[in-house]
Amino acid sequence: MQTVKLKPLSFMKVTAGALAFMLTSGVGLSVNAQTRTITIYSGRNERLIGPLLEQAKKDLGVNIQVRYGDTAELAIALVEEGKNTRADLFFGQDAGALGLLERRNLTRTIPPNLLNQVDPRFRSSQGHWIGISGRSRILNYNTSRVRENELPNSVWDLTRPQWRGRVAWAPTNGSFQSFITAMRLTEGEPRTLQWLRAMKANGATVYRNNTSIVEALGRGETDIGLVNNYYLGRFKSDNPNFPVAGHYTKNDAGSMVNIAGVAIMATTGRQADAERLIAYLLRPSSQRFFATETNEYPLVKGLPGPANQVPLSQIQGPDVNLTNLHDLPGTLELLQKAGVL
């Protein structure tokens, strides 16, 4: 397997507030607390998950070291490191990477009292990973340039002549690649390849990631983009008049609900602390953090989703077992065959 060059290890900084907490409570000052360290490989961006992990660090009295990077690259690194990995926990931004580690026997079972807090479709059927927050694929569109009555019901409609040169996508983005993996599962390899080639021929514009697509939509640089649901909320919070809205396709991969989730590495010597951290991420206050701060869907049963978003129960996504999104190499090969990577 080809070695992937990873970003350097990034350790979380102790803030002044955290230091004050430790000085007054004694947390982190004893030899025992100093040696209780959980190492996380996180495909989640530090800006999104860092504040919550910093709070967990204080509340649990456990040191947390985080290596941030691309989800797929970190998953490949864990495969290559095998039993020599330093990671105790993997926090991936999609189920495919978690499923890959499960299939390689690199993860261990999570206790039922944690698994049962989340709907079965958002956790491993073997109990080796669990969703922490949910996100859906969605079409964002510029409300000045696209009329509601012309919005497509399916991503297949985007290959039609009326959308020539008007669609933005990000083929190198991990969430886009999971979307393509879901399409391969639901539509088959040949039809997915046909869609990719048709989109390219129809002049789909390549962007670096979801954020750059939403920015381009706001500038009127492109008309419609394939992104995740939570990006638009960040722009709307800064500017309620931001001229972009969301639209869901029906029963295809364009509205697939994926998860950001965690798995405990099989080689960890900190299983109890890893389980405590998972319990922390599932508690109501942490789940509300995702709804209010990152515009993602809480996955613990009975908790409300982000404001101004379609409820999770109303999204008409495809019937996909998320563990089966593990074949990233096959998706990358297909993207290269289509000439979009």
Side-chain angles (χ1 to χ4, degrees), residues 96 100 103 181 184 189 323-332:
L100 172 65
R103 287 173 63 88
T181 307
R184 291 171 58 211
E189 201 96 352
T323 297
N324 292 336
L325 298 178
H326 62 85
D327 187 19
L328 176 63
T331 291
L332 294 175

Side-chain angles (χ1 to χ4, degrees), residues 267-330:
T267 52
T268 182
R270 299 289 176 196
Q271 181 166 356
D273 284 328
E275 291 173 4
R276 288 175 65 220
L277 180 57
I278 294 174
Y280 186 92
L281 295 172
L282 293 174
R283 71 185 194 176
S285 60
S286 298
Q287 291 286 290
R288 284 193 291 269
F289 171 90
F290 294 112
T292 60
E293 299 300 322
T294 67
N295 295 294
E296 294 174 277
Y297 291 98
L299 294 183
V300 170
K301 302 168 187 175
L303 294 177
N308 303 315
Q309 297 269 2
V310 174
L312 196 58
S313 60
Q314 294 181 19
I315 298 174
Q316 300 177 47
D319 184 14
V320 173
N321 183 331
L322 294 179
T323 297
N324 292 336
L325 298 178
H326 62 85
D327 187 19
L328 176 63

Side-chain angles (χ1 to χ4, degrees), residues 168-238:
W169 64 356
T172 61
N173 182 259
S175 60
F176 178 88
Q177 292 167 4
S178 290
F179 149 71
I180 293 298
T181 307
M183 187 182 288
R184 291 171 58 211
L185 292 171
T186 57
E187 303 291 344
E189 201 96 352
R191 193 161 188 237
T192 303
L193 179 60
Q194 177 188 2
W195 182 81
L196 288 166
R197 285 174 169 168
M199 287 288 289
K200 182 181 179 184
N202 211 32
T205 305
V206 174
Y207 285 86
R208 184 178 71 258
N209 53 31
N210 290 317
T211 298
S212 59
I213 289 175
V214 180
E215 289 172 341
L217 288 166
R219 294 191 299 267
E221 182 178 297
T222 189
D223 292 355
I224 197 164
L226 294 94
V227 295
N228 282 347
N229 72 290
Y230 54 90
Y231 287 90
L232 182 56
R234 302 174 198 166
F235 288 86
K236 289 286 192 182
S237 64
D238 293 334

Side-chain angles (χ1 to χ4, degrees), residues 6-10 66-68:
L6 296 172
K7 299 173 184 178
L9 196 62
S10 172
V66 188
R67 180 177 188 165
Y68 290 102

Side-chain angles (χ1 to χ4, degrees), residues 150-164:
E150 67 175 322
L151 288 167
N153 288 322
S154 167
V155 292
W156 302 93
D157 295 336
L158 296 174
T159 63
R160 294 179 176 177
Q162 63 262 40
W163 294 109
R164 181 175 299 278

